[in-house]
Amino acid sequence: MHSPVQTLRTTTLVLLGSALLAACSDSGTVTTLPARPNVGIPLPQVLLSAPNVVQANLRPEIRFANGSTVTLTRGAGNDWSGTINVAPGQTYQTTLTWYERLNQRDIALATLTQTLEVASDGTITRSETGSYSTDIDTDNDGRTNLQERQDGTDPLVAENGTDTGTGTDTGSGTDTGTDTGTDTGTDTGTDTGTDTGGGTDTGTDSGTDTGTDSGTDTGTDSGTDTGTDSGTDTGTDSGTDTGTDSGTDTGTDTGADTGTDSGTDTGTDTGTDTGTDTGTDPGTDTNPPPLVADVVVPRIAVSDAPVIDGKGLELLGSNGELVGEWAAAVQNDNSGAPLLIDQLIIDNAANEVAGSERRRWAAMHDGTYLYVLVLVDDDGDRNRDSGSAIAQDDSLELFLDGDNSKSTSYDSNDFSRLFPLQLAGADKQSTSTGAVAGPESSSAPLSIAFTTGPGIGPDGTLRPQYEQDVYEIRIGLNSAGIDTDSPFGFELQVNDDDGGGNRNARWAWKLPTGSADIANQNPSVFGTLVLE
């Protein structure tokens, strides 16, 4: 599943040495952009001059051929900008669509198709296929959405009364409308029924019956005829007519029909329904909204998988980005924010305030394994002195919800694992053993390997002499119940212990600052990842 697309900030933690924004214009020319650009998107001229279109309600969306979308933010005036992470040496097909928000609905008005070619050095060449197209007709009434907005009609409701919704209408409401139309048709049917009703007809028929009744009346009239006969009377009327009229009625009925019609209407209604449907549509929406995930995890070749040894991360790139075997890992979420473990959920004299950038993570996969890297910029005081209570020492906890069910309690594919930073009683000694399952974690077998590198990572940002701590983890996707085409739940939390004894702080990626420490009981608080 590729609903969101991973975006990347251009100031810090730049991944792969390249980032792009699919900028747009109507020129149709090819433009070469420098690496890590941040290019504004102007509002199309066709929308700037469109009457009835509210510019303040417009927004752009960039969608890749695989369904991924780019999050864009409004700048000054009508300029929008955003960034996205891409791989060098790749070509991407994208579509830029402008939407207008109208009555809580998004109306697509104009689209532009683009091809983006990323060179090996991160340089991006953008080519546009033609200019903006407004040929979008959501309700299939032969008029484009933009034309309907300019004319003041609804682009989502066809003018011929056709409902373009996909729900199934099973309502059984009563039609209480008044029929005030004129009946000008000719009644050529044969009346063979018997009128035996004795009730009073109090209904109002405001239509005029100007049709000609040329049918044969073979019914029995047992009622009293109190009407006025304005035709030529050639017979003898001797009072009340209680006989049977078996003759053919060829006259024209000019009287008012005040009777009650209790028959079944089997005719076809070809009129336009202009009423408002206030009933509940219980139909099934077969087009659910696209998934909103926090992070898209890029796919790498099996041959590019990192060695899980806690080593090889001594250096970072000039912009703080990962290099070497972790260079392809994602380091920013789909809003462009760096992947920081900066939410303070337990504070017992923590060294920093919430929002600290001293703990971060990255991830990638090869279709078989998920690879996770965590870097902790520690102040040099590391402890493991709490025995089996590893969470009270310097440690990392990983949480997984294999099917992203977001249940409030753990099920068979919800896992948690706690990893110690170092061997017990041995300062700065890496370890690859001692992982502990959480109290509610599934007991199903989980294929997982890890190795730590306490104090052997990149130089510290506050104290360069105290190198950062490293956690490298490899998780078998199948064993965790993770489908490569579906989202899954994910969370990381870091425990910091300065001075020994109980921990001083617990930091989370997804669980907000100040929240209760409930990830070990409630998987619904995990974030959401999807594999590329």
Side-chain angles (χ1 to χ4, degrees):
M1 188 172 294
H2 308 283
S3 299
V5 69
Q6 177 59 34
T7 54
L8 177 65
R9 282 188 176 176
T10 58
T11 53
T12 60
L13 301 181
V14 178
L15 180 62
L16 299 177
S18 64
L20 66 90
L21 176 74
C24 55
S25 70
D26 288 325
S27 64
T29 59
V30 176
T31 306
T32 300
L33 306 178
R36 306 182 190 88
N38 190 6
V39 181
I41 295 183
L43 190 65
Q45 184 62 41
V46 68
L47 299 183
L48 280 171
S49 57
N52 293 329
V53 173
V54 181
Q55 294 182 18
N57 294 340
L58 294 171
R59 69 169 182 86
E61 178 184 276
I62 298 174
R63 183 173 293 272
F64 279 60
N66 64 3
S68 300
T69 58
V70 182
T71 300
L72 301 171
T73 56
R74 186 189 292 272
N78 286 318
D79 284 343
W80 293 74
S81 63
T83 54
I84 180 172
N85 179 35
V86 292
Q90 299 293 322
T91 298
Y92 299 87
Q93 300 296 322
T94 68
T95 301
L96 171 64
T97 303
W98 282 90
Y99 293 89
E100 181 184 16
R101 190 69 172 170
L102 180 67
N103 297 329
Q104 307 303 312
R105 303 168 301 174
D106 284 326
I107 312 296
L109 299 179
T111 63
L112 179 69
T113 302
Q114 300 178 117
T115 299
L116 303 164
E117 297 182 7
V118 186
S120 59
D121 63 354
T123 300
I124 302 161
T125 302
R126 183 187 73 250
S127 59
E128 297 167 0
T129 305
S131 58
Y132 272 102
S133 170
T134 60
D135 189 18
I136 308 169
D137 182 10
T138 302
D139 58 12
N140 297 313
D141 64 355
R143 300 167 66 237
T144 69
N145 291 353
L146 182 58
Q147 288 174 330
E148 294 210 51
R149 287 295 294 125
Q150 291 172 325
D151 294 342
T153 57
D154 192 334
L156 299 186
V157 177
E159 294 306 298
N160 58 10
T162 302
D163 183 357
T164 60
T166 58
T168 300
D169 186 358
T170 60
S172 56
T174 301
D175 182 359
T176 59
T178 302
D179 182 0
T180 61
T182 301
D183 182 1
T184 61
T186 300
D187 182 359
T188 61
T190 301
D191 183 359
T192 61
T194 301
D195 183 1
T196 61
T200 301
D201 181 1
T202 60
T204 302
D205 183 355
S206 58
T208 302
D209 184 0
T210 61
T212 300
D213 184 358
S214 60
T216 301
D217 183 0
T218 61
T220 301
D221 182 1
S222 58
T224 301
D225 182 2
T226 59
T228 301
D229 183 357
S230 59
T232 301
D233 185 0
T234 59
T236 301
D237 182 358
S238 58
T240 303
D241 180 6
T242 60
T244 302
D245 181 4
S246 59
T248 301
D249 180 4
T250 60
T252 301
D253 181 5
T254 60
D257 180 4
T258 60
T260 300
D261 181 4
S262 58
T264 301
D265 180 3
T266 60
T268 301
D269 181 4
T270 60
T272 300
D273 181 3
T274 59
T276 301
D277 182 3
T278 59
T280 301
D281 182 1
T284 301
D285 185 359
T286 58
N287 294 296
L291 169 76
V292 177
D294 298 297
V295 178
V296 174
V297 181
R299 182 163 187 157
I300 60 172
V302 173
S303 58
D304 293 331
V307 178
I308 307 302
D309 58 3
K311 301 176 182 178
L313 286 155
E314 293 81 5
L315 299 175
L316 298 176
S318 59
N319 290 292
E321 74 273 20
L322 296 172
V323 296
E325 61 182 3
W326 286 94
V330 63
Q331 299 173 67
N332 293 75
D333 66 19
N334 69 341
S335 71
L339 296 176
L340 301 176
I341 306 174
D342 61 348
Q343 302 298 303
L344 185 57
I345 57 175
I346 293 180
D347 184 0
N348 295 322
N351 289 334
E352 312 96 39
V353 298
S356 169
E357 298 185 0
R358 293 175 62 181
R359 298 159 189 85
R360 57 172 171 143
W361 65 278
M364 53 192 177
H365 81 101
D366 61 8
T368 301
Y369 294 102
L370 173 67
Y371 301 94
V372 179
L373 169 70
V374 175
L375 294 178
V376 177
D377 191 358
D378 198 271
D379 60 1
D381 191 355
R382 307 173 182 89
N383 291 277
R384 185 176 178 187
D385 58 359
S386 300
S388 61
I390 299 175
Q392 297 300 324
D393 299 329
D394 289 284
S395 56
L396 169 70
E397 193 153 8
L398 166 74
F399 301 88
L400 296 169
D401 176 4
D403 61 357
N404 200 42
S405 60
K406 291 293 189 284
S407 172
T408 56
S409 60
Y410 275 65
D411 58 32
S412 61
N413 56 19
D414 295 335
F415 301 89
S416 63
R417 288 293 186 274
L418 186 63
F419 307 103
L421 174 62
Q422 57 188 14
L423 290 173
D427 187 40
K428 292 185 65 175
Q429 292 298 306
S430 65
T431 182
S432 57
T433 61
V436 177
E440 302 296 329
S441 179
S442 171
S443 59
L446 179 64
S447 173
I448 193 165
F450 81 101
T451 301
T452 64
I456 61 173
D459 289 344
T461 56
L462 297 179
R463 299 180 183 179
Q465 70 272 28
Y466 294 122
E467 289 84 358
Q468 299 180 41
D469 299 331
V470 178
Y471 295 87
E472 290 185 317
I473 305 169
R474 183 185 66 211
I475 305 151
L477 296 173
N478 287 340
S479 70
I482 298 173
D483 188 328
T484 55
D485 293 324
S486 302
F488 61 97
F490 185 85
E491 169 70 313
L492 288 169
Q493 296 182 2
V494 171
N495 297 301
D496 184 26
D497 179 16
D498 294 327
N502 292 337
R503 63 190 167 198
N504 295 87
R506 184 171 174 87
W507 301 85
W509 166 57
K510 190 62 178 179
L511 198 62
T513 293
S515 300
D517 185 18
I518 60 173
N520 264 306
Q521 294 80 38
N522 186 353
S524 70
V525 301
F526 300 173
T528 302
L529 272 59
V530 67
L531 303 177
E532 186 180 73

